[in-house]
Amino acid sequence: EVQLVESGGGLIQPGGSLRLSCAASGFTFSSYWMHWVRQPPGKGLVWVSRINSDGSSISYADSVKGRFTISRDNAKNTLFLQMNSLRADDTAVYYCARYSSAYHATDNWGQGTLVTVSS
Amino acid sequence: DIVMTQSPDSLAVSLGERATINCKSSQSFLYSSNNKTYLAWYQQKVGQPPKLLIYWASTRESGVPDRFSGSGSGTDFTLTISSLQAEDVALYYCQQYYTTPHTFGQGTKLEIK
């Protein structure tokens, strides 16, 4: 069974940093592209970033470019999102999701981790 | 960026009736190399992560009931629930995977009338 488990969220002051992790199991992690998507409280889904299977190709939303860094450790089956210079509008539930290159869609999502940026 | 616009923002349908959600994109995203449209539909129930329903605009994900169907091409797409069930109450999103940023529609809230 595919499992994606996010961790690392919490309350952080504006300007601070957090590192989110997504532990993957039940599939060959190193073969899949991975995405981060966020959802501000009571609002819609917003795509954040994606990374290809070996980490050589990365893309970001403009709203996080230069502040967030996506990475992965295929030996540890883990996806990361390093978030720096956090702002109040980064407050959201952050989901990691597996991308199916066969279907060209994200077919499995974690339960999400809440990041709250507030003083 | 490709802008995805869903309509309506909310929808109330009687049990057993048809529900139709529309998604319009600011540009077409048909991959000529494989003739596939990289559009997906997701269902999100309260307190849960999104669930993939439809990919390639019209192909149902494994395990998704056949009352859910996707259609459309070019810039106009539709998600149809042929006979609404109580468990279909949720938010529904379209998303394009043609190019980054992989933009979502703003979501449509589906309720029981």
Side-chain angles (χ1 to χ4, degrees):
Chain A
E1 178 194 3
V2 173
Q3 281 204 319
L4 297 168
V5 180
E6 301 93 338
S7 61
L11 176 63
I12 187 76
Q13 291 190 337
S17 298
L18 274 180
R19 189 193 200 200
L20 305 184
S21 299
C22 171
S25 61
F27 65 102
T28 305
F29 179 72
S30 60
S31 297
Y32 285 83
W33 294 35
M34 297 294 294
H35 291 235
W36 286 101
V37 174
R38 68 185 181 183
Q39 187 168 35
K43 297 189 177 181
L45 301 169
V46 180
W47 179 83
V48 172
S49 182
R50 69 104 175 114
I51 186 168
N52 72 341
S53 55
D54 66 4
S56 62
S57 176
I58 285 171
S59 184
Y60 298 100
D62 285 347
S63 59
V64 307
K65 202 173 294 182
R67 300 187 299 123
F68 289 14
T69 302
I70 190 172
S71 62
R72 63 192 298 159
D73 184 337
N74 285 343
K76 295 183 178 179
N77 294 336
T78 305
L79 175 73
F80 301 101
L81 186 67
Q82 177 67 43
M83 305 187 295
N84 298 331
S85 303
L86 282 161
R87 312 184 303 220
D89 62 358
D90 293 318
T91 295
V93 174
Y94 285 75
Y95 296 101
C96 67
R98 185 184 82 165
Y99 178 77
S100 167
S101 297
Y103 305 152
H104 304 101
T106 44
D107 62 355
N108 281 274
W109 296 59
Q111 290 296 313
T113 187
L114 176 62
V115 173
T116 303
V117 184
S118 175
S119 54
Chain B
D1 297 358
I2 297 176
V3 178
M4 307 295 288
T5 304
Q6 290 181 227
S7 62
D9 289 335
S10 63
L11 181 62
V13 174
S14 300
L15 289 172
E17 295 300 305
R18 178 184 298 260
T20 302
I21 298 170
N22 301 300
C23 176
K24 187 174 183 65
S25 63
S26 60
Q27 67 181 74
S28 175
F29 39 86
L30 172 68
Y31 260 113
S32 56
S33 61
N34 59 10
N35 206 36
K36 298 291 188 187
T37 298
Y38 292 1
L39 179 111
W41 287 96
Y42 296 89
Q43 176 193 63
Q44 187 181 31
K45 296 182 179 180
V46 172
Q48 295 185 19
K51 173 189 173 184
L52 177 64
L53 295 176
I54 302 285
Y55 57 91
W56 294 337
S58 60
T59 303
R60 246 187 329 270
E61 168 73 322
S62 175
V64 172
D66 61 6
R67 64 179 180 275
F68 291 91
S69 64
S71 62
S73 62
T75 61
D76 293 283
F77 303 92
T78 300
L79 175 70
T80 301
I81 307 171
S82 59
S83 177
L84 189 70
Q85 305 299 304
E87 61 264 32
D88 301 333
V89 168
L91 282 160
Y92 292 85
Y93 296 91
C94 60
Q95 185 189 17
Q96 62 82 13
Y97 283 96
Y98 181 73
T99 188
T100 57
H102 294 307
T103 41
F104 288 91
Q106 79 276 18
T108 295
K109 185 176 184 179
L110 178 58
E111 299 173 309
I112 305 295
K113 185 187 291 183

